[in-house]
Structures are given as C-alpha cells and as structure tokens.
Amino acid sequence: LLPLSHLTSPVTGPEFRHVGVGVGHRLDASSSGVLVLAVGNGNKVLNDLYNTRITRDYTVEGAFGSATDDFSDTGRVVERTTYDHITLDKLNRVLAMLQGANQKALLMYSNVDMRSQEAYEMAVQGLLGPEGKSVPIVTGLRCIHFQPPNFTLEVQCLNETQRYLRKVVHEIGLELRSTAACTGVRRTRDGPFTLQDALTSHRWTPAGVMQAIQQYRSSKRNKRRSQSQIKNPGLQPVEETVMESST
C-alpha cells in the first residue's frame, strides 16, 4: 500500500476518511507490471478474482551463461557455462517440451472428465483449469526475442509466483546443457486487467484512481455493447446512464 505521505495530492475531506484498499495477486519487490488493487466496495470481489480460473501474462527476460542461488541475475553466481551451441530452434524445442508437460498438469488438476463434452467446451473457451490452488502451471510459453546471451519469453500461467518464473528460466538453461539466470519479470496482464488499465506512479492520487475506475467501467460497457451488436446486428445500442456515488 502506498503511504499517504507519498501521494502527490493531499487527501482531505470526509469522503476519503475511511477507504479500504485490498491487494490482488502479489508482485515481489524484484518484479514490475500490473498489480490489481481493490478500493472500497471493490474489496468484495477480490475473492472472486482469486477463485476464478484466470491466467496472467508475463514477459520474462533471461541471460545464458551463469546460474545463481536465487535464479536471478542479482543472486550469488554458483556456476558459469558456455552458450555458443544454443540456437533459437533448440530453445523453441525446449519450450514446447515444457509447455507439453504443463498441459498434462493442467488436465490432471482439472476436476472434469477429460472425455466429456463439458471438458471439450471448457477447453475451447479457455476455461479449463485447476479447481482452487494447484502447483504453478504454464499454459502458454514462447520466445519473443533471441539474441544470445539474452532472450525474452512471453509466459501465460496459473497459480504462479515470480520466483517460480525465475526458476523456469533456470531450468531452460539446464535443458539446453548450459545455465541461465532471470534478468527481469514483468506482469502484463492479470485476468481482465492489462498494462493499458494500469496507473503510473505520478497518477497515484485519489483523483487519478477515481478516473481510472470510471474509464475501466466505460470500456467494459463499450465492449459489452459491441459484443451485443455483433450477436444482434439489427439491435440499436441503448445509451447507459451511470450515477457515481460521492461516498
């Protein structure tokens, strides 16, 4: 939580006297990106955010040639290796192998009969996932930048921690008969929330937060309206009026 003394605008007036703020899926101190906060009545839906089978997206950066005690580039180096033999094709094969193993874990922890119509429909809609907590599961993994020793992965996952993602980089290095350390972890999406919805530090003010909430509500309404028009082309859009409470 941001201390009040760090806000760029003073918090005054009775409407801001008691405002509860809750934190969604955590980010550790060495990571960056989307961190969902709930304000006021929004705290009631944080459990829903935790209990639904929503995935999160990350960009994870790594560098071949060294292994550390905490899997990050700031940890104590425990081994150094060569990496000249690593090619993009070899890296992609390892990523495919890891994703296949995680797909098996996803099926194992999903509480549905894999031979049923329900399982098929859930898989098509991207809703197949573990009931409650499970081991971390990677549902998508691909390389988006490769310039040895540096590489960048795009990762989609469930029930992960940032330390787990750093360990994935370490394991990729081992599978390639080398070593690798993670140089950066950035969350780009948490369920429906993306970087486009995020507030940079200079907007961490009451006015900035309220504006962000209003903009997100507006974007959701526009998205629902567009989807409704696609399903019913002859239906005319109905304008919505939203009354914002000052308390």
Side-chain angles (χ1 to χ4, degrees):
L1 298 180
L2 188 69
L4 294 183
S5 60
H6 286 190
L7 295 174
T8 57
S9 297
V11 179
T12 60
E15 61 180 317
F16 293 117
R17 188 169 294 165
H18 300 289
V19 179
V21 179
V23 182
H25 300 107
R26 303 300 202 274
L27 275 176
D28 63 28
S30 300
S31 306
S32 64
V34 177
L35 174 64
V36 177
L37 300 179
V39 180
N41 290 333
N43 283 278
K44 297 177 181 178
V45 300
L46 272 184
N47 284 336
D48 294 335
L49 185 67
Y50 271 110
N51 295 329
T52 53
R53 299 185 187 98
I54 59 172
T55 57
R56 285 167 289 282
D57 289 350
Y58 291 83
T59 53
V60 180
E61 299 176 337
F64 294 117
S66 65
T68 66
D69 59 350
D70 65 356
F71 313 127
S72 78
D73 62 331
T74 59
R76 180 174 61 86
V77 175
V78 295
E79 185 179 3
R80 294 190 185 276
T81 57
T82 60
Y83 54 85
D84 295 342
H85 61 286
I86 300 175
T87 64
L88 179 58
D89 184 56
K90 290 180 180 179
L91 174 58
N92 284 334
R93 286 203 295 268
V94 168
L95 298 183
M97 179 196 69
L98 289 175
Q99 188 166 344
N102 276 266
Q103 187 65 28
K104 291 181 181 178
L106 179 66
L107 298 177
M108 181 178 70
Y109 283 97
S110 298
N111 191 25
V112 292
D113 182 356
M114 289 300 108
R115 296 166 295 181
S116 66
Q117 180 67 21
E118 178 190 10
Y120 171 77
E121 292 176 354
M122 290 177 65
V124 169
Q125 298 175 43
L127 299 177
L128 198 61
E131 287 285 350
K133 280 294 181 182
S134 72
V135 298
I137 297 176
V138 173
T139 59
L141 182 62
R142 69 188 185 100
C143 179
I144 58 175
H145 175 75
F146 181 75
Q147 189 174 1
N150 302 307
F151 60 97
T152 303
L153 307 176
E154 188 176 74
V155 185
Q156 186 179 81
C157 45
L158 288 159
N159 298 333
E160 81 294 337
T161 64
Q162 289 77 56
R163 178 178 171 81
Y164 169 77
L165 296 175
R166 296 185 187 100
K167 188 177 180 181
V168 168
V169 171
H170 171 77
E171 291 174 349
I172 288 171
L174 296 180
E175 290 292 339
L176 289 165
R177 301 182 184 278
S178 182
T179 53
C182 182
T183 59
V185 175
R186 188 186 193 204
R187 184 188 288 159
T188 58
R189 181 183 63 83
D190 187 349
F193 302 102
T194 68
L195 289 173
Q196 285 68 40
D197 304 309
L199 292 177
T200 52
S201 58
H202 72 277
R203 294 184 61 199
W204 292 351
T205 65
V209 171
M210 290 177 67
Q211 182 182 19
I213 292 172
Q214 291 167 355
Q215 288 176 345
Y216 183 75
R217 287 175 175 172
S218 177
S219 68
K220 284 182 65 178
R221 289 196 301 271
N222 292 336
K223 184 176 181 180
R224 285 197 297 264
R225 186 180 296 122
S226 297
Q227 291 174 341
S228 177
Q229 287 181 282
I230 291 173
K231 293 179 181 178
N232 304 281
L235 187 64
Q236 294 298 317
V238 178
E239 293 298 325
E240 298 182 45
T241 301
V242 178
M243 300 299 292
E244 297 292 343
S245 173
S246 61
T247 60

